[in-house]
Amino acid sequence: MKLYLLLLYLFAFTGTLLAQTELSDEPGQKHFSPKHSLELGFGFGHLVNQDLVFSPFIHRDLAFPSAMIGYEAQGRLIHKISLRYASFSTVLNESYEYFEDGEEETTTPHSFTNINLGYNAGLPLHLTEKHRMIGGLSLSWDIHSLNYSYGRIGSVGYYSGTGIGVFGKYEWFLSESTKVSANIQIPLVSWIARSPYLVNDDEFIENISSHKGIPTFIDFLGDGRLVTLNRLQRLSTAIEGSHILSNHWAVGGEWSFGFIHTSRPRNLVSYQNTLVGKVIYVF
């Protein structure tokens, strides 16, 4: 638990430190580069997930909406914070009716809710009038809520991964108002917490005994462990484009891809693709 709190402290401390950095103009760039931008995006998400703790089957779904909100500030340091949300429902076979306490019921799909909070802070490594490369520190937190429904019974599960790593970003300025970029992010050290191998073991039952949401969630996180790349492989990448419409407004789009693999307590493999359109306020 102390290690998890340490990761949260580093997350908050880094964000506070970078937020206090004085913004300044970057020499050598003639294109329009706003010092601050706030973006809101909506679109589609596609999930492929297999978690052997719960099921040997591969669960897939294409869902709308997926949503994101982000804030970026540019200066000597370039930092960005973002929050992403996606919800999926998967069905492996046709629904059917069953009886419970004399009442006829219909099976419901499995559901997965994925939330990601990310923070990147970097420095320009190479700069020209048309191109820019950025590299630096990345902090990320994935929270997945899992609900497997089997008619009269079901299982509730969770996955949480808080990681510290590195990121790289390449930007190509097509004109003074149009930009295309690509980035990749890999956590090197992470604190992960997952549902136990037996789904509802003694520790899980003890954690939920309070019947209080936040204390139970904290107990789940406290049961996690510190891992490196040998135990958790996590990668996220994105391709973005934006076009300035006026002094304060821009539009854009983004395709992002996330991959998670870990083998303890049982194998988990998850792919998520997201395509969103964005409205951007620049100032």
Side-chain angles (χ1 to χ4, degrees):
M1 184 63 181
K2 291 181 179 179
L3 290 172
Y4 181 77
L5 292 175
L6 176 61
L7 290 175
L8 287 181
Y9 172 78
L10 289 173
F11 197 110
F13 176 77
T14 303
T16 302
L17 179 64
L18 294 175
Q20 294 174 349
T21 302
E22 180 183 355
L23 294 176
S24 61
D25 294 329
E26 295 178 0
Q29 287 184 265
K30 297 180 180 179
H31 55 79
F32 182 75
S33 184
K35 290 184 176 181
H36 304 270
S37 63
L38 181 66
E39 57 186 21
L40 179 65
F42 290 94
F44 293 89
H46 181 258
L47 177 71
V48 178
N49 190 87
Q50 183 187 46
D51 189 343
L52 295 185
V53 167
F54 297 95
S55 170
F57 299 108
I58 299 174
H59 299 265
R60 297 181 174 88
D61 186 42
L62 176 66
F64 177 87
S66 292
M68 63 84 63
I69 185 171
Y71 167 77
E72 182 176 86
Q74 301 196 34
R76 287 196 299 266
L77 286 174
I78 302 165
H79 50 101
K80 181 175 183 177
I81 186 168
S82 62
L83 177 66
R84 301 172 185 274
Y85 168 87
S87 182
F88 302 94
S89 297
T90 68
V91 178
L92 297 175
N93 53 269
E94 295 182 359
S95 61
Y96 57 90
E97 284 70 39
Y98 63 95
F99 288 90
E100 183 172 9
D101 297 329
E103 298 290 333
E104 186 177 21
E105 305 286 349
T106 303
T107 56
T108 58
H110 309 302
S111 63
F112 304 87
T113 300
N114 295 354
I115 298 173
N116 172 265
L117 176 64
Y119 190 98
N120 291 342
L123 289 168
L125 304 178
H126 179 69
L127 181 65
T128 69
E129 292 187 1
K130 290 293 185 180
H131 309 275
R132 181 169 65 172
M133 296 182 64
I134 304 168
L137 173 72
S138 68
L139 304 172
S140 62
W141 189 8
D142 294 304
I143 303 174
H144 296 176
S145 175
L146 320 172
N147 189 350
Y148 291 84
S149 177
Y150 307 109
R152 297 181 62 185
I153 61 173
S155 298
V156 176
Y158 62 92
Y159 168 89
S160 172
T162 306
I164 300 175
V166 294
F167 85 98
K169 185 175 185 179
Y170 172 78
E171 296 180 333
W172 182 19
F173 300 96
L174 302 179
S175 68
E176 292 185 358
S177 58
T178 304
K179 178 178 72 173
V180 176
S181 64
N183 68 75
I184 186 170
Q185 174 181 318
I186 301 176
L188 303 178
V189 180
S190 302
W191 180 268
I192 64 170
R194 290 183 62 194
S195 297
Y197 169 60
L198 297 177
V199 182
N200 297 332
D201 64 1
D202 292 342
E203 191 168 8
F204 180 88
I205 294 173
E206 181 181 355
N207 288 339
I208 66 174
S209 62
S210 67
H211 300 286
K212 297 179 180 179
I214 294 178
T216 298
F217 180 65
I218 293 175
D219 288 337
F220 287 158
L221 299 182
D223 292 336
R225 63 190 185 277
L226 192 67
V227 299
T228 55
L229 290 174
N230 64 322
R231 294 298 182 193
L232 174 68
Q233 294 80 51
R234 172 75 168 94
L235 177 146
S236 60
T237 185
I239 298 175
E240 305 174 61
S242 61
H243 180 75
I244 300 292
L245 299 177
S246 66
N247 289 336
H248 292 291
W249 292 102
V251 294
E254 175 187 296
W255 167 80
S256 62
F257 170 77
F259 168 78
I260 297 174
H261 172 255
T262 184
S263 58
R264 291 186 178 184
R266 295 294 302 275
N267 203 56
L268 164 67
V269 178
S270 179
Y271 302 88
Q272 182 176 327
N273 287 276
T274 306
L275 181 64
V276 299
K278 297 190 290 187
V279 176
I280 307 167
Y281 178 70
V282 296
F283 55 101

